[in-house]
Amino acid sequence: MAGGNPKIEAINRFFAAYAAQDMNGIRSVLTENVEWSIPGHHPLSGTKRGVEEVVAFFTELGKSGFKAEPMFLEANDEYVVDVHRGWTTKGRGKVDTTWALVWHFNSSGKVDRVVNLTADQHQMDAFMWANYRLAPLPERLSGARPSGK
């Protein structure tokens, strides 16, 4: 996609790093305290907090051969919206759908928040449950806190 806008160039760098599974390239576009929201009801959904959680998420996606092909990028002073085709090349089942991401940039020109939106959440949920498992209960609950009291 054509550049010129530094925010769009940053997203293009992100997609190039993603395609190469270059986690340092991914890190270079994000703030240390980035928040990245993944929709759905599956083991990898939820908000990832911090660059290392985001990188861990993309490392897992790499195991399923996730690919992305940008179709549209537009920017304003704070945001970039991208629309891309996202699909899998490995694993049980498949994902092949359209995604829209809303990227927020801080005043230093780095991404500090991303919200993913998908055209077919059911397809994504089914694929993720077929290919990823939750951690066993002791590990899953190790950071749990009692609620309400």
Side-chain angles (χ1 to χ4, degrees):
M1 304 236 121
N5 180 307
K7 290 175 181 63
I8 290 177
E9 289 173 359
I11 302 310
N12 283 330
R13 285 194 314 275
F14 174 89
F15 277 111
Y18 178 78
Q21 296 184 349
D22 172 6
M23 296 306 146
N24 286 330
I26 287 174
R27 281 182 186 92
S28 74
V29 175
L30 308 174
T31 63
E32 284 296 318
N33 61 348
V34 64
E35 291 189 357
W36 195 302
S37 296
I38 307 299
H41 301 283
H42 58 76
L44 299 184
S45 65
T47 300
K48 311 306 172 234
R49 290 181 172 82
V51 71
E52 294 311 316
E53 280 189 22
V54 172
V55 166
F57 170 77
F58 283 110
T59 298
E60 286 303 312
L61 284 187
K63 294 176 183 177
S64 294
F66 267 86
K67 304 291 182 192
E69 180 181 1
M71 301 178 330
F72 171 85
L73 291 168
E74 188 60 57
N76 69 13
D77 290 341
E78 289 183 59
Y79 293 93
V80 168
V81 173
D82 96 66
V83 177
H84 66 270
R85 175 185 172 225
W87 71 98
T88 55
T89 62
K90 300 177 186 173
R92 291 185 303 251
K94 73 172 188 164
V95 171
D96 192 345
T97 193
T98 302
W99 297 86
L101 276 64
V102 180
W103 307 75
H104 181 264
F105 284 76
N106 68 11
S107 59
S108 299
K110 290 192 110 180
V111 174
D112 63 0
R113 242 179 8 253
V114 181
V115 176
N116 280 45
L117 307 164
T118 180
D120 192 340
Q121 188 62 58
H122 296 291
Q123 183 186 76
M124 184 66 169
D125 287 344
F127 179 85
M128 292 302 221
W129 279 112
N131 291 281
Y132 294 95
R133 305 213 181 276
L134 291 173
L137 270 179
E139 293 172 42
R140 228 181 326 144
L141 296 178
S142 65
R145 295 182 202 125
S147 62
K149 296 185 182 177

